[in-house]
Coordinates of all heavy atoms in Angstrom, one line a residue:
M1 N 0.8 -1.2 0.0 CA 0.0 0.0 0.0 C 0.9 1.3 0.0 O 0.5 2.2 -0.6 CB -0.9 0.0 1.2 CG -1.8 1.2 1.3 SD -3.0 1.4 0.0 CE -4.2 0.1 0.4
D2 N 2.0 1.2 0.7 CA 2.9 2.4 0.8 C 3.4 2.8 -0.6 O 3.6 4.0 -0.9 CB 4.0 2.2 1.7 CG 3.5 2.1 3.2 OD1 2.5 2.6 3.5 OD2 4.3 1.5 4.0
K3 N 3.7 1.8 -1.4 CA 4.1 2.0 -2.8 C 3.1 2.7 -3.6 O 3.4 3.6 -4.4 CB 4.6 0.7 -3.5 CG 5.8 0.1 -2.9 CD 7.1 0.7 -3.3 CE 8.3 0.0 -2.8 NZ 9.5 0.7 -2.9
I4 N 1.8 2.3 -3.5 CA 0.7 2.9 -4.2 C 0.5 4.4 -3.8 O 0.4 5.3 -4.6 CB -0.6 2.1 -4.0 CG1 -0.5 0.7 -4.7 CG2 -1.8 2.9 -4.6 CD1 -1.6 -0.2 -4.3
I5 N 0.5 4.6 -2.5 CA 0.3 6.0 -2.0 C 1.5 6.8 -2.4 O 1.3 7.9 -2.9 CB 0.2 6.0 -0.5 CG1 -1.2 5.3 -0.1 CG2 0.3 7.4 0.1 CD1 -1.4 5.1 1.4
G6 N 2.7 6.3 -2.3 CA 3.9 7.0 -2.8 C 3.8 7.4 -4.2 O 4.1 8.5 -4.6
R7 N 3.4 6.4 -5.1 CA 3.3 6.7 -6.5 C 2.3 7.8 -6.7 O 2.5 8.7 -7.5 CB 2.9 5.4 -7.2 CG 2.7 5.6 -8.7 CD 2.1 4.3 -9.4 NE 1.8 4.5 -10.7 CZ 0.6 5.0 -11.1 NH1 -0.4 5.3 -10.2 NH2 0.3 5.2 -12.4
N8 N 1.2 7.7 -6.0 CA 0.1 8.7 -6.2 C 0.5 10.1 -5.7 O 0.2 11.1 -6.3 CB -1.2 8.3 -5.5 CG -1.8 7.1 -6.2 OD1 -1.5 6.8 -7.4 ND2 -2.7 6.4 -5.5
L9 N 1.3 10.2 -4.6 CA 1.8 11.4 -4.1 C 2.7 12.1 -5.2 O 2.6 13.3 -5.4 CB 2.6 11.2 -2.9 CG 1.8 10.9 -1.6 CD1 2.7 10.5 -0.5 CD2 1.0 12.1 -1.2
K10 N 3.5 11.3 -5.8 CA 4.4 11.8 -6.9 C 3.6 12.3 -8.1 O 3.9 13.4 -8.6 CB 5.4 10.8 -7.3 CG 6.5 11.3 -8.3 CD 7.5 10.3 -8.6 CE 8.5 10.9 -9.6 NZ 9.6 10.0 -9.9
I11 N 2.7 11.5 -8.5 CA 1.8 11.9 -9.6 C 1.1 13.3 -9.4 O 1.2 14.2 -10.2 CB 0.8 10.8 -9.9 CG1 1.4 9.6 -10.5 CG2 -0.3 11.4 -10.8 CD1 0.6 8.4 -10.6
L12 N 0.5 13.4 -8.2 CA -0.2 14.6 -7.8 C 0.8 15.8 -7.7 O 0.5 16.9 -8.1 CB -1.0 14.4 -6.6 CG -2.2 13.4 -6.7 CD1 -2.7 13.1 -5.3 CD2 -3.3 14.1 -7.5
R13 N 1.9 15.5 -7.1 CA 2.9 16.6 -6.9 C 3.4 17.1 -8.2 O 3.4 18.3 -8.5 CB 4.1 16.1 -6.1 CG 5.2 17.2 -5.9 CD 6.4 16.6 -5.1 NE 7.0 15.5 -5.7 CZ 7.9 15.5 -6.7 NH1 8.2 16.7 -7.3 NH2 8.5 14.4 -7.2
E14 N 3.8 16.2 -9.1 CA 4.3 16.6 -10.4 C 3.2 17.3 -11.3 O 3.5 18.3 -11.9 CB 4.9 15.5 -11.1 CG 6.2 15.0 -10.5 CD 6.8 13.8 -11.2 OE1 6.1 13.1 -12.0 OE2 8.0 13.5 -10.9
A15 N 2.0 16.8 -11.2 CA 0.9 17.4 -12.0 C 0.6 18.8 -11.5 O 0.2 19.7 -12.2 CB -0.3 16.5 -12.0
G16 N 0.7 18.9 -10.2 CA 0.5 20.2 -9.5 C 1.6 21.2 -9.6 O 1.6 22.3 -9.1
R17 N 2.7 20.7 -10.2 CA 3.9 21.5 -10.4 C 4.6 22.0 -9.1 O 5.1 23.1 -9.0 CB 3.7 22.7 -11.3 CG 3.2 22.3 -12.7 CD 3.0 23.5 -13.6 NE 2.5 23.0 -14.9 CZ 1.9 23.8 -15.8 NH1 1.6 25.0 -15.4 NH2 1.5 23.3 -16.9
F18 N 4.5 21.1 -8.1 CA 5.2 21.3 -6.8 C 6.5 20.6 -6.8 O 6.7 19.5 -7.4 CB 4.3 20.8 -5.7 CG 3.0 21.5 -5.5 CD1 1.8 20.9 -5.9 CD2 3.0 22.7 -4.9 CE1 0.6 21.5 -5.7 CE2 1.8 23.4 -4.6 CZ 0.6 22.8 -5.0
T19 N 7.5 21.2 -6.1 CA 8.7 20.5 -5.8 C 8.5 19.7 -4.5 O 7.6 19.9 -3.7 CB 9.9 21.4 -5.6 OG1 9.7 22.2 -4.4 CG2 10.1 22.4 -6.8
Q20 N 9.4 18.7 -4.3 CA 9.4 18.0 -3.0 C 9.6 18.9 -1.9 O 9.0 18.8 -0.8 CB 10.4 16.9 -3.0 CG 10.1 15.7 -3.8 CD 11.1 14.5 -3.6 OE1 12.2 14.7 -3.2 NE2 10.6 13.3 -4.0
D21 N 10.5 19.9 -2.0 CA 10.7 20.9 -1.0 C 9.4 21.6 -0.6 O 9.1 21.8 0.6 CB 11.8 21.9 -1.4 CG 13.2 21.3 -1.3 OD1 13.5 20.5 -0.3 OD2 14.0 21.6 -2.2
Q22 N 8.7 22.1 -1.6 CA 7.4 22.8 -1.4 C 6.4 22.0 -0.6 O 5.8 22.4 0.3 CB 6.8 23.3 -2.7 CG 7.7 24.4 -3.4 CD 7.2 24.7 -4.8 OE1 6.9 23.8 -5.5 NE2 7.2 26.0 -5.1
V23 N 6.2 20.7 -1.1 CA 5.3 19.8 -0.4 C 5.7 19.6 1.0 O 4.9 19.6 2.0 CB 5.1 18.5 -1.2 CG1 4.2 17.5 -0.4 CG2 4.5 18.8 -2.6
A24 N 7.0 19.3 1.2 CA 7.5 19.0 2.5 C 7.3 20.2 3.5 O 6.9 20.0 4.6 CB 9.0 18.6 2.5
D25 N 7.6 21.4 3.0 CA 7.3 22.6 3.8 C 5.9 22.7 4.2 O 5.6 23.0 5.3 CB 7.8 23.9 3.0 CG 9.3 24.0 2.9 OD1 10.0 23.3 3.6 OD2 9.7 24.9 2.0
F26 N 5.0 22.5 3.2 CA 3.5 22.6 3.5 C 3.1 21.5 4.6 O 2.3 21.8 5.5 CB 2.7 22.3 2.2 CG 1.2 22.4 2.5 CD1 0.6 23.6 2.4 CD2 0.5 21.2 2.7 CE1 -0.8 23.7 2.7 CE2 -0.9 21.3 2.9 CZ -1.5 22.5 2.9
L27 N 3.7 20.3 4.5 CA 3.4 19.3 5.4 C 4.2 19.4 6.7 O 4.0 18.6 7.6 CB 3.7 17.9 4.8 CG 2.9 17.6 3.5 CD1 3.3 16.3 2.9 CD2 1.4 17.6 3.8
K28 N 5.1 20.3 6.8 CA 5.9 20.5 8.0 C 6.8 19.3 8.3 O 6.9 18.9 9.5 CB 5.1 21.0 9.2 CG 4.4 22.3 8.9 CD 3.6 22.7 10.1 CE 3.0 24.1 10.0 NZ 2.2 24.3 8.8
I29 N 7.4 18.7 7.3 CA 8.3 17.6 7.4 C 9.5 17.9 6.6 O 9.6 18.9 5.8 CB 7.7 16.3 6.9 CG1 7.2 16.4 5.5 CG2 6.5 15.9 7.8 CD1 6.7 15.1 4.9
T30 N 10.6 17.1 6.7 CA 11.8 17.3 5.9 C 11.6 16.8 4.5 O 10.7 15.9 4.2 CB 13.0 16.6 6.5 OG1 12.8 15.2 6.4 CG2 13.2 17.0 7.9
R31 N 12.3 17.3 3.5 CA 12.3 16.9 2.2 C 12.7 15.4 2.1 O 12.1 14.6 1.3 CB 13.2 17.7 1.2 CG 12.8 17.4 -0.2 CD 14.1 17.4 -1.1 NE 15.2 16.8 -0.6 CZ 15.5 15.5 -0.8 NH1 14.7 14.6 -1.3 NH2 16.7 15.0 -0.3
S32 N 13.6 15.0 2.9 CA 14.1 13.6 2.9 C 12.9 12.7 3.4 O 12.7 11.6 2.8 CB 15.3 13.5 3.9 OG 15.7 12.1 4.0
A33 N 12.2 13.1 4.4 CA 11.1 12.3 4.9 C 10.0 12.2 3.7 O 9.5 11.1 3.5 CB 10.4 12.8 6.1
Y34 N 9.7 13.3 3.1 CA 8.7 13.3 2.0 C 9.2 12.4 0.9 O 8.4 11.6 0.3 CB 8.4 14.7 1.5 CG 7.4 14.6 0.4 CD1 6.0 14.4 0.7 CD2 7.7 14.7 -0.9 CE1 5.1 14.3 -0.2 CE2 6.8 14.5 -1.9 CZ 5.5 14.4 -1.6 OH 4.5 14.2 -2.6
S35 N 10.5 12.5 0.5 CA 11.0 11.6 -0.5 C 10.8 10.1 -0.2 O 10.5 9.3 -1.0 CB 12.5 11.9 -0.7 OG 13.1 11.1 -1.7
N36 N 11.1 9.8 1.1 CA 10.9 8.4 1.5 C 9.4 8.0 1.4 O 9.1 6.8 1.1 CB 11.4 8.2 2.9 CG 12.9 8.1 3.0 OD1 13.5 7.6 2.1 ND2 13.4 8.7 4.1
Y37 N 8.5 8.9 1.6 CA 7.1 8.6 1.5 C 6.7 8.3 0.0 O 6.0 7.4 -0.3 CB 6.2 9.7 2.0 CG 6.3 9.9 3.5 CD1 6.3 11.2 4.0 CD2 6.5 8.9 4.4 CE1 6.4 11.5 5.4 CE2 6.6 9.1 5.8 CZ 6.5 10.4 6.2 OH 6.6 10.6 7.6
E38 N 7.3 9.2 -0.9 CA 7.0 9.0 -2.3 C 7.6 7.7 -2.8 O 7.0 7.0 -3.7 CB 7.6 10.1 -3.1 CG 6.7 11.3 -3.3 CD 7.2 12.3 -4.4 OE1 8.2 12.0 -5.1 OE2 6.6 13.3 -4.5
L39 N 8.7 7.3 -2.3 CA 9.4 6.0 -2.7 C 8.7 4.8 -2.0 O 9.0 3.7 -2.4 CB 10.9 6.1 -2.3 CG 11.7 7.1 -3.1 CD1 13.1 7.2 -2.5 CD2 11.8 6.7 -4.6
G40 N 7.8 5.0 -1.1 CA 7.2 3.9 -0.4 C 8.0 3.2 0.6 O 7.8 2.1 1.0
E41 N 9.1 3.9 1.0 CA 10.0 3.3 2.0 C 9.6 3.6 3.4 O 10.1 2.9 4.3 CB 11.4 3.9 1.7 CG 12.0 3.4 0.4 CD 13.4 4.0 0.1 OE1 13.9 4.8 0.9 OE2 13.9 3.7 -1.0
R42 N 8.7 4.5 3.6 CA 8.2 4.8 5.0 C 6.7 5.0 4.9 O 6.2 5.4 3.9 CB 8.8 6.1 5.5 CG 10.3 5.9 5.9 CD 10.9 7.2 6.5 NE 10.1 7.7 7.6 CZ 10.3 8.9 8.2 NH1 11.1 9.7 7.7 NH2 9.6 9.2 9.3
E43 N 6.0 4.6 6.0 CA 4.6 4.8 6.0 C 4.3 6.2 6.5 O 4.8 6.6 7.5 CB 4.0 3.8 7.0 CG 2.5 3.8 7.0 CD 1.9 2.7 7.9 OE1 2.5 1.6 7.9 OE2 0.9 3.0 8.6
M44 N 3.4 6.9 5.8 CA 3.1 8.3 6.1 C 2.0 8.3 7.2 O 1.0 7.6 7.1 CB 2.6 9.0 4.8 CG 2.4 10.5 5.0 SD 1.8 11.2 3.4 CE 3.3 12.0 2.9
P45 N 2.2 9.0 8.3 CA 1.2 9.1 9.3 C -0.1 9.7 8.8 O -0.1 10.5 7.9 CB 1.8 10.0 10.4 CG 3.3 10.0 10.1 CD 3.4 9.8 8.6
I46 N -1.2 9.3 9.3 CA -2.5 9.7 8.8 C -2.7 11.2 8.8 O -3.3 11.7 7.9 CB -3.7 9.0 9.6 CG1 -5.0 9.2 8.9 CG2 -3.7 9.4 11.0 CD1 -5.2 8.6 7.6
E47 N -2.1 11.9 9.8 CA -2.3 13.3 9.9 C -1.6 14.0 8.7 O -2.0 15.0 8.1 CB -1.7 13.9 11.2 CG -2.3 13.4 12.4 CD -1.6 12.0 12.8 OE1 -0.5 11.7 12.5 OE2 -2.3 11.2 13.5
V48 N -0.4 13.4 8.3 CA 0.3 14.0 7.2 C -0.4 13.6 5.9 O -0.5 14.4 5.0 CB 1.8 13.4 7.2 CG1 2.6 14.0 6.0 CG2 2.5 13.8 8.5
L49 N -0.9 12.4 5.8 CA -1.7 12.0 4.6 C -2.9 13.0 4.4 O -3.2 13.4 3.3 CB -2.3 10.6 4.7 CG -1.3 9.5 4.3 CD1 -2.0 8.1 4.7 CD2 -1.1 9.6 2.8
E50 N -3.6 13.3 5.5 CA -4.7 14.2 5.4 C -4.3 15.6 4.9 O -5.0 16.2 4.1 CB -5.4 14.4 6.8 CG -6.1 13.1 7.2 CD -6.6 13.1 8.7 OE1 -6.1 13.9 9.5 OE2 -7.5 12.3 9.0
N51 N -3.2 16.1 5.4 CA -2.6 17.4 4.9 C -2.2 17.3 3.5 O -2.4 18.3 2.7 CB -1.5 17.8 5.8 CG -1.9 18.2 7.2 OD1 -3.1 18.6 7.4 ND2 -1.0 18.1 8.2
A52 N -1.6 16.2 3.0 CA -1.3 16.1 1.6 C -2.5 16.1 0.8 O -2.5 16.7 -0.3 CB -0.5 14.8 1.4
A53 N -3.5 15.4 1.2 CA -4.8 15.4 0.4 C -5.4 16.8 0.3 O -5.8 17.2 -0.8 CB -5.8 14.4 1.1
D54 N -5.3 17.5 1.4 CA -5.7 18.9 1.4 C -4.9 19.8 0.4 O -5.5 20.6 -0.4 CB -5.6 19.6 2.8 CG -6.7 19.1 3.7 OD1 -7.7 18.5 3.3 OD2 -6.5 19.3 5.0
L55 N -3.6 19.6 0.4 CA -2.8 20.3 -0.5 C -3.1 20.1 -1.9 O -3.2 21.0 -2.7 CB -1.3 20.0 -0.3 CG -0.3 20.6 -1.3 CD1 -0.3 22.1 -1.2 CD2 1.1 20.0 -1.0
F56 N -3.3 18.8 -2.3 CA -3.6 18.5 -3.7 C -5.1 18.6 -4.0 O -5.5 18.4 -5.2 CB -3.1 17.0 -3.9 CG -1.6 16.9 -3.8 CD1 -1.1 15.9 -2.9 CD2 -0.8 17.7 -4.4 CE1 0.2 15.8 -2.8 CE2 0.6 17.6 -4.3 CZ 1.1 16.6 -3.4
G57 N -5.9 18.9 -3.0 CA -7.3 19.2 -3.3 C -8.1 17.9 -3.6 O -9.1 17.9 -4.4
V58 N -7.7 16.8 -3.0 CA -8.4 15.5 -3.3 C -8.9 14.9 -2.0 O -8.4 15.3 -0.9 CB -7.5 14.5 -4.0 CG1 -7.1 15.0 -5.4 CG2 -6.3 14.1 -3.2
E59 N -9.8 14.0 -2.0 CA -10.3 13.3 -0.9 C -9.1 12.3 -0.4 O -8.4 11.8 -1.3 CB -11.5 12.5 -1.1 CG -12.7 13.3 -1.5 CD -13.2 14.2 -0.3 OE1 -13.1 13.7 0.8 OE2 -13.6 15.3 -0.6
L60 N -9.1 12.0 0.8 CA -8.0 11.2 1.4 C -7.9 9.8 0.7 O -6.9 9.3 0.4 CB -8.2 11.0 2.9 CG -7.2 10.2 3.6 CD1 -5.8 10.8 3.5 CD2 -7.6 10.0 5.1
D61 N -9.1 9.2 0.4 CA -9.1 7.9 -0.2 C -8.5 7.8 -1.6 O -8.0 6.8 -2.1 CB -10.5 7.2 -0.2 CG -11.5 8.0 -1.1 OD1 -11.3 9.2 -1.3 OD2 -12.5 7.4 -1.5
V62 N -8.4 9.0 -2.3 CA -7.9 9.0 -3.6 C -6.4 8.7 -3.6 O -5.8 8.0 -4.5 CB -8.0 10.4 -4.3 CG1 -7.2 10.6 -5.5 CG2 -9.5 10.7 -4.5
L63 N -5.7 9.0 -2.5 CA -4.3 8.7 -2.4 C -4.0 7.2 -2.4 O -2.9 6.8 -2.7 CB -3.7 9.3 -1.1 CG -3.7 10.8 -1.0 CD1 -3.2 11.3 0.3 CD2 -3.0 11.4 -2.2
A64 N -5.0 6.3 -2.1 CA -4.8 4.9 -2.0 C -5.3 4.1 -3.2 O -5.2 2.9 -3.3 CB -5.4 4.3 -0.8
L65 N -5.8 4.9 -4.2 CA -6.4 4.2 -5.4 C -5.3 3.8 -6.4 O -4.3 4.5 -6.6 CB -7.3 5.2 -6.1 CG -8.6 5.6 -5.4 CD1 -9.3 6.7 -6.2 CD2 -9.5 4.4 -5.2
T66 N -5.5 2.6 -7.0 CA -4.6 2.2 -8.1 C -5.2 2.8 -9.4 O -6.4 3.1 -9.4 CB -4.6 0.7 -8.2 OG1 -5.9 0.2 -8.4 CG2 -4.0 0.0 -7.0
G67 N -4.4 2.9 -10.4 CA -4.8 3.5 -11.6 C -5.1 5.0 -11.6 O -5.9 5.5 -12.3
L68 N -4.3 5.7 -10.8 CA -4.5 7.1 -10.7 C -3.5 7.8 -11.7 O -2.4 7.5 -11.8 CB -4.1 7.6 -9.3 CG -4.2 9.1 -9.0 CD1 -5.7 9.5 -8.8 CD2 -3.5 9.4 -7.7
F69 N -4.1 8.8 -12.4 CA -3.3 9.6 -13.3 C -3.7 11.1 -13.1 O -4.9 11.4 -12.7 CB -3.7 9.3 -14.8 CG -3.4 7.8 -15.1 CD1 -4.4 6.9 -15.0 CD2 -2.1 7.4 -15.5 CE1 -4.1 5.5 -15.2 CE2 -1.9 6.1 -15.8 CZ -2.9 5.2 -15.7
A70 N -2.8 12.0 -13.2 CA -3.1 13.4 -13.0 C -2.4 14.2 -14.1 O -1.4 13.8 -14.7 CB -2.6 13.9 -11.7
G71 N -3.0 15.3 -14.5 CA -2.5 16.1 -15.5 C -3.3 17.4 -15.6 O -4.1 17.8 -14.8
R72 N -3.1 18.1 -16.7 CA -3.8 19.3 -17.0 C -4.5 19.2 -18.3 O -3.9 18.7 -19.3 CB -2.8 20.5 -17.1 CG -2.1 20.7 -15.7 CD -1.2 21.9 -15.8 NE -0.7 22.2 -14.5 CZ -1.3 22.9 -13.6 NH1 -2.4 23.5 -13.9 NH2 -0.8 23.1 -12.4
I73 N -5.7 19.7 -18.3 CA -6.5 19.8 -19.6 C -7.0 21.2 -19.6 O -7.7 21.6 -18.7 CB -7.7 18.7 -19.6 CG1 -7.1 17.3 -19.6 CG2 -8.6 19.0 -20.8 CD1 -8.2 16.2 -19.6
G74 N -6.7 21.9 -20.7 CA -7.2 23.3 -20.8 C -6.7 24.1 -19.6 O -7.4 25.0 -19.2
G75 N -5.5 23.9 -19.1 CA -5.0 24.7 -18.0 C -5.6 24.3 -16.6 O -5.2 24.8 -15.6
Q76 N -6.5 23.3 -16.6 CA -7.1 22.9 -15.3 C -6.5 21.6 -14.9 O -6.3 20.7 -15.6 CB -8.6 22.7 -15.4 CG -9.3 22.4 -14.1 CD -10.8 22.4 -14.2 OE1 -11.4 22.5 -15.2 NE2 -11.4 22.2 -13.0
F77 N -6.1 21.5 -13.6 CA -5.5 20.4 -13.0 C -6.6 19.3 -12.7 O -7.6 19.6 -12.1 CB -4.8 20.8 -11.7 CG -4.2 19.6 -10.9 CD1 -3.1 18.9 -11.5 CD2 -4.6 19.3 -9.7 CE1 -2.5 17.9 -10.8 CE2 -4.0 18.3 -9.0 CZ -2.9 17.6 -9.5
I78 N -6.4 18.1 -13.3 CA -7.4 17.1 -13.0 C -6.8 15.8 -12.6 O -5.6 15.6 -12.8 CB -8.3 16.8 -14.3 CG1 -7.4 16.3 -15.4 CG2 -9.1 18.0 -14.7 CD1 -7.9 15.1 -16.1
V79 N -7.5 15.0 -11.9 CA -7.1 13.6 -11.5 C -8.0 12.6 -12.2 O -9.2 12.8 -12.2 CB -7.2 13.4 -10.0 CG1 -6.8 12.0 -9.6 CG2 -6.2 14.4 -9.3
F80 N -7.5 11.6 -12.8 CA -8.2 10.6 -13.5 C -8.0 9.3 -12.9 O -6.8 8.9 -12.6 CB -7.8 10.5 -15.0 CG -8.4 9.4 -15.8 CD1 -9.7 9.5 -16.2 CD2 -7.7 8.3 -16.1 CE1 -10.3 8.5 -16.9 CE2 -8.2 7.3 -16.8 CZ -9.6 7.4 -17.2
V81 N -9.0 8.6 -12.5 CA -8.9 7.3 -11.9 C -9.4 6.3 -12.8 O -10.6 6.3 -13.2 CB -9.7 7.2 -10.6 CG1 -9.6 5.9 -9.9 CG2 -9.3 8.3 -9.6
A82 N -8.5 5.4 -13.3 CA -8.9 4.4 -14.3 C -9.3 3.1 -13.5 O -8.5 2.4 -13.0 CB -7.7 4.0 -15.2
E83 N -10.6 2.9 -13.4 CA -11.2 1.7 -12.8 C -12.2 1.2 -13.9 O -11.9 1.3 -15.1 CB -11.9 2.1 -11.5 CG -11.0 2.6 -10.4 CD -11.7 3.0 -9.2 OE1 -12.9 3.3 -9.3 OE2 -11.1 3.0 -8.1
K84 N -13.2 0.5 -13.4 CA -14.2 0.0 -14.4 C -14.9 1.2 -15.1 O -15.3 1.1 -16.3 CB -15.3 -0.8 -13.7 CG -14.7 -2.1 -13.2 CD -15.7 -3.0 -12.6 CE -15.0 -4.3 -12.1 NZ -15.9 -5.3 -11.6
S85 N -15.0 2.3 -14.4 CA -15.5 3.5 -15.1 C -14.6 4.6 -14.7 O -13.9 4.6 -13.8 CB -16.9 3.8 -14.6 OG -16.9 4.0 -13.2
A86 N -14.5 5.6 -15.6 CA -13.6 6.7 -15.4 C -14.2 7.8 -14.5 O -15.4 8.0 -14.6 CB -13.2 7.3 -16.7
H87 N -13.4 8.3 -13.7 CA -13.8 9.4 -12.8 C -12.8 10.6 -13.0 O -11.6 10.4 -12.9 CB -13.8 9.0 -11.3 CG -14.6 7.8 -11.0 ND1 -16.0 7.9 -10.8 CD2 -14.3 6.5 -10.9 CE1 -16.5 6.7 -10.6 NE2 -15.5 5.8 -10.6
F88 N -13.4 11.8 -13.2 CA -12.5 13.0 -13.2 C -12.7 13.7 -11.9 O -13.9 14.0 -11.5 CB -12.8 13.9 -14.4 CG -12.4 13.3 -15.7 CD1 -13.2 12.5 -16.5 CD2 -11.1 13.5 -16.1 CE1 -12.7 12.0 -17.7 CE2 -10.6 13.0 -17.3 CZ -11.4 12.2 -18.1
I89 N -11.7 14.0 -11.2 CA -11.8 14.7 -9.9 C -11.1 16.1 -10.1 O -9.9 16.1 -10.2 CB -11.1 13.9 -8.8 CG1 -11.7 12.5 -8.8 CG2 -11.2 14.6 -7.5 CD1 -10.8 11.5 -8.0
P90 N -11.8 17.1 -10.1 CA -11.2 18.5 -10.2 C -10.4 18.8 -8.9 O -10.9 18.5 -7.9 CB -12.3 19.4 -10.5 CG -13.5 18.7 -10.0 CD -13.3 17.3 -10.1
C91 N -9.2 19.3 -9.1 CA -8.4 19.6 -7.9 C -8.3 21.1 -7.8 O -8.1 21.8 -8.8 CB -7.0 19.0 -8.0 SG -7.1 17.2 -8.2
Q92 N -8.4 21.6 -6.6 CA -8.5 23.0 -6.4 C -7.2 23.7 -6.1 O -7.1 24.9 -6.4 CB -9.5 23.3 -5.2 CG -10.9 22.9 -5.6 CD -11.6 22.2 -4.5 OE1 -11.1 22.1 -3.4 NE2 -12.8 21.7 -4.8
N93 N -6.3 23.1 -5.4 CA -5.1 23.8 -4.9 C -3.9 23.8 -5.8 O -2.9 24.4 -5.5 CB -4.7 23.2 -3.5 CG -5.8 23.5 -2.5 OD1 -6.6 24.4 -2.7 ND2 -5.9 22.6 -1.5
A94 N -3.9 23.1 -6.9 CA -2.7 23.0 -7.8 C -2.5 24.3 -8.5 O -3.5 25.1 -8.8 CB -2.9 21.9 -8.8
R95 N -1.3 24.6 -8.9 CA -1.0 25.8 -9.6 C -1.0 25.7 -11.1 O -0.9 24.7 -11.6 CB 0.4 26.3 -9.1 CG 0.5 26.5 -7.7 CD 1.8 27.0 -7.3 NE 2.7 25.9 -7.0 CZ 4.0 26.1 -7.0 NH1 4.5 27.2 -7.3 NH2 4.8 25.1 -6.8

């Protein structure tokens, strides 16, 4: 599960055009700790996960979904979840 969450954190961070340093500062953790979360080498505490979801403008459960893709369409940051049906989740906090 940590690998899935880490992958999704990286997808959302890059699509939102954030650096690891910026995300770490927002979460009040070190860049090294954040990097370990993205790599799935450490389990992220629930409080930090909640803050990350807030930063990226998604619900907490989105961080644990498989088949997550993020990007920009027409200048708007979106999250696409590839499951049996497609879901587009508009994100509010990305730049």
Side-chain angles (χ1 to χ4, degrees):
M1 180 66 75
D2 293 336
K3 293 279 186 193
I4 293 169
I5 291 172
R7 178 184 172 276
N8 291 343
L9 288 169
K10 183 175 181 178
I11 288 169
L12 292 166
R13 177 182 59 78
E14 289 179 344
R17 298 181 182 158
F18 293 105
T19 66
Q20 284 187 340
D21 285 320
Q22 290 170 319
V23 174
D25 286 346
F26 180 86
L27 299 176
K28 296 179 177 56
I29 59 175
T30 65
R31 191 215 44 87
S32 176
Y34 181 78
S35 177
N36 284 325
Y37 297 142
E38 273 194 6
L39 293 171
E41 294 178 357
R42 290 182 56 193
E43 184 175 324
M44 190 179 254
I46 189 68
E47 304 82 27
V48 180
L49 274 173
E50 289 170 343
N51 290 338
D54 287 345
L55 173 64
F56 298 125
V58 299
E59 296 294 324
L60 183 61
D61 63 337
V62 170
L63 296 178
L65 294 174
T66 58
L68 181 75
F69 302 91
R72 293 182 177 274
I73 295 179
Q76 184 173 6
F77 178 65
I78 60 129
V79 176
F80 174 76
V81 182
E83 294 176 335
K84 291 185 181 185
S85 60
H87 302 280
F88 286 94
I89 305 165
C91 299
Q92 295 140 4
N93 294 335
R95 302 185 271 160

